[in-house]
Amino acid sequence: MLLIHCPYCEEDRPEVEFVNGGQAHIARPADPSSESDADWEKYLYIRRNPRGRHHERWRHIHGCGRFFNAVRDTVSDRFETTYKAGEPAK
Amino acid sequence: MRFSGFNLFAQALQDHKGWPEQWPDKAPKAEYDAIIVGAGGHGLGAAYYLASKYGIRNVAVIEKGWLGGGNTGRNTTIIRSNYLYDESAHLYDHAVKLWDGLSQELNYNVMYSKRGVLMLAHNVHDVQSAKRHIHANRLNGVDNEWLSAEECQAYCPPLDISPTARHPVLGGALQRRGGTARHDSVAWGYARGAAALGVDIIQNCAVTGIRRGPDGAVQGVETERGFIASKKIGVSAAGSTSVVMQMAGLDFPLESYPLQALVSEPVKPIFPCVVMSNSVHAYISQSDKGELVIGAGTDQYVSYSQRGAFHIIEHTLAAICEIFPIFSRMRMLRTWGGIVDVTPDRSPILGKTPVPGLYVNCGWGTGGFKATPGAGDLLAHTIAHDAPHKINAPFNLDRFRTGRFIDEAAAAAVAH
């Protein structure tokens, strides 16, 4: 089980308190109806799925309830850092 | 040399020292007519069918690790085809038909045992959903039938059907043709069959790049043992598909998650079939060696670590012990994880890619083993004809742009 540092609660808490929110820093297109099908597919479904350094969202659902972002290595599962939503990608 | 009673006897007379190597370890040639990336059951199956059925024998299978060491050796060996949608039912039933007779075709015992797959219904919604699946399956020529709770217990005696059970059993859907097979044998049988037809199996040789020409078409693969040329490359790399596809400049609609399984200590025969339960997410069968084979769920995060979290195992075992209280004092021997590649609609991607000469078989998620012969055959067909078979045509990569999903995620007969 992962130990995850919530940047809002400023505590290391067990993974069962969190839900994973998938790849981070995907911006919703400002005007979806003007997107091409290919760009809309890219936004909805295409994922980096990297082997190595991965930016992802977590939600501290059984704690503060807030979303935040994390950088984790997908081979070792070790967290490099977690940071508040809205901050630039680390 | 064929495996037969006569040869077994003849070899016994010389202390079994005359058996030949089942598949020689080959050094790569400079060029092949087709290259398969990934020597799991699906990739080896594709190589075998390319050589045996589609007449392309100058084929190499390139594997980063060892043959059958990925998800082929890590699954719970369950075979079934009771999927809801027409496209899925045809795809998975194509595989089940090939499982029949596979041992004879390969002259290798894959131990396909039609012991039946029973899916339990624990509430009214489960009952309605199971019956809908049964009707849809029967319209597609896939066997599936409804059993009452008493009939379920008669079919699977360890089942607790008492009304006070934590997860009461209201009945179940039984596919009698479903069952299990020996997973390693499938990889070994295909490897031996393919090697006998001239296919080179190259292990411990990671693909590090895919070379493309000025026209965009593939020219071959860069590997740890140098460049190998081929105008046709089939990628069957399961959890690592995204990584391989990025070598060709393609981003895929895939995410890779850990999926765990575990086995108990071996015991005498107690469990005659496969039982799955959607609602509580548990599946269980007993191997011929006597171990209870139990499948858990996926972890929630992308990972390539080939291991998962313990709370997932705990959750699954809690469900198993509720449904089968008789197993509450069993000891578990081993747990392990594999990395499964999951698509947004939980159906596989099997067909061509935007890169000429590059073909893909991926996205089987948590349910690829049952499809091994079918996926191999259809990938081989697609490579040989440069066009998909009508069975795998709906499972194209374009569906995520066009919206023609095969959305088994919400409606599937199972937990995937």
Side-chain angles (χ1 to χ4, degrees):
Chain A
M1 188 184 298
L2 306 176
L3 266 183
I4 303 174
H5 182 81
C6 173
Y8 295 101
C9 301
E10 295 183 340
E11 272 188 86
D12 291 338
R13 304 296 299 173
E15 180 199 335
V16 286
E17 290 189 12
F18 299 82
V19 285
N20 185 281
Q23 186 179 322
H25 302 296
I26 298 174
R28 184 180 168 85
D31 182 13
S33 55
S34 67
E35 292 286 303
S36 70
D37 285 354
D39 286 341
W40 191 240
E41 176 200 17
K42 201 172 167 191
Y43 162 66
L44 283 180
Y45 301 121
I46 304 294
R47 294 293 177 262
R48 283 190 59 237
N49 196 24
R51 185 185 166 89
R53 207 165 178 268
H54 181 46
H55 290 81
E56 64 187 354
R57 298 191 308 162
W58 286 89
R59 187 178 178 204
H60 195 184
I61 192 161
H62 296 300
C64 61
R66 302 184 74 168
F67 278 96
F68 59 91
N69 294 321
V71 182
R72 183 175 51 88
D73 186 298
T74 60
V75 179
S76 66
D77 286 339
R78 191 162 293 143
F79 281 93
E80 186 181 308
T81 183
T82 59
Y83 52 98
K84 292 174 181 172
E87 292 179 16
K90 296 205 172 169
Chain B
M1 188 189 296
R2 281 183 63 77
F3 291 124
S4 66
F6 174 77
N7 279 334
L8 184 64
F9 180 74
Q11 290 300 322
L13 295 178
Q14 38 180 313
D15 291 341
H16 295 288
K17 285 176 182 161
W19 292 108
E21 209 174 16
Q22 293 194 25
W23 52 85
D25 205 11
K26 288 285 182 69
K29 290 192 275 189
E31 183 166 8
Y32 290 93
D33 292 340
I35 287 175
I36 306 289
V37 179
H42 287 219
L44 292 164
Y48 172 77
Y49 290 114
L50 271 174
S52 69
K53 203 168 160 183
Y54 302 104
I56 300 177
R57 294 191 172 201
N58 185 23
V59 176
V61 184
I62 302 176
E63 166 62 45
K64 178 181 180 180
W66 68 97
L67 180 161
N71 294 347
T72 298
R74 293 166 189 263
N75 59 77
T76 51
T77 78
I78 296 168
I79 295 167
R80 60 186 180 85
S81 60
N82 51 356
Y83 282 71
L84 180 65
Y85 292 113
D86 295 352
E87 296 89 343
S88 314
H90 294 150
L91 181 70
Y92 289 97
D93 212 47
H94 177 63
V96 169
K97 285 171 185 155
L98 285 172
W99 278 111
D100 244 338
L102 190 62
S103 294
Q104 287 74 18
E105 180 179 349
L106 295 176
N107 180 231
Y108 207 98
N109 190 0
V110 301
M111 296 165 70
Y112 173 33
S113 158
K114 292 182 217 180
R115 55 186 67 188
V117 172
L118 178 63
M119 291 183 168
L120 299 177
H122 298 292
N123 52 50
V124 173
H125 174 80
D126 282 356
V127 173
Q128 290 169 341
S129 167
K131 288 188 173 173
R132 183 183 174 206
H133 279 80
I134 289 168
H135 295 314
N137 288 158
R138 293 173 78 138
L139 286 171
N140 277 319
V142 177
D143 73 302
N144 202 351
E145 63 193 88
W146 177 254
L147 300 189
S148 68
E150 291 72 25
E151 288 168 331
C152 286
Q153 198 192 34
Y155 196 77
C156 182
L159 189 62
D160 178 12
I161 60 164
S162 60
T164 54
R166 168 72 182 81
H167 306 292
V169 175
L170 302 187
L174 173 65
Q175 183 177 25
R176 291 184 189 270
R177 285 194 306 151
T180 58
R182 169 95 167 88
H183 51 185
D184 294 326
S185 287
V186 182
W188 298 338
Y190 275 130
R192 174 170 167 268
L197 294 168
V199 171
D200 286 356
I201 297 166
I202 301 156
Q203 302 180 65
N204 297 311
C205 178
V207 169
T208 54
I210 294 177
R211 192 184 288 180
R212 295 173 64 183
D215 56 347
V218 298
Q219 293 182 327
V221 291
E222 310 279 357
T223 74
E224 290 174 337
R225 290 160 77 173
F227 177 73
I228 308 172
S230 179
K231 291 190 169 57
K232 293 187 171 201
I233 299 170
V235 176
S236 190
S240 296
T241 303
S242 291
V243 177
V244 177
M245 283 302 167
Q246 277 156 9
M247 295 173 189
L250 295 178
D251 285 322
F252 255 58
L254 287 174
E255 289 190 297
S256 298
Y257 298 100
L259 177 68
Q260 298 180 87
L262 60 158
V263 294
S264 73
E265 58 193 337
V267 290
K268 287 183 177 178
I270 172 99
F271 206 80
C273 57
V274 180
V275 170
M276 320 182 61
S277 173
N278 247 347
S279 310
V280 296
H281 206 135
Y283 40 113
I284 177 168
S285 60
Q286 187 174 18
S287 72
D288 291 336
K289 201 159 72 179
E291 305 150 323
L292 295 179
V293 183
I294 296 168
T298 56
D299 280 88
Q300 54 173 336
Y301 48 82
V302 166
S303 178
Y304 289 81
S305 62
Q306 289 191 318
R307 66 189 169 196
F310 191 71
H311 65 95
I312 306 278
I313 299 272
E314 192 180 6
H315 176 80
T316 295
L317 286 178
I320 295 286
C321 290
E322 294 284 4
I323 304 170
F324 305 102
I326 189 176
F327 296 142
S328 60
R329 282 182 291 165
M330 286 284 282
R331 282 167 293 195
M332 295 298 141
L333 275 192
R334 309 191 301 279
T335 74
W336 63 90
I339 299 302
V340 299
D341 44 328
V342 178
T343 60
D345 65 356
R346 269 53 176 179
S347 287
I349 301 168
L350 178 44
K352 298 174 72 171
T353 70
V355 175
L358 185 65
Y359 308 88
V360 69
N361 167 47
C362 70
W364 290 92
T366 63
F369 175 74
K370 65 175 83 69
T372 301
D377 179 40
L378 294 167
L379 178 61
H381 179 104
T382 307
I383 292 172
H385 297 89
D386 191 35
H389 188 280
K390 69 174 187 216
I391 294 175
N392 66 307
F395 295 88
N396 56 49
L397 186 56
D398 294 340
R399 70 180 190 270
F400 302 101
R401 194 179 65 245
T402 61
R404 290 193 64 86
F405 298 126
I406 301 150
D407 195 3
E408 291 281 350
V414 282
H416 279 259

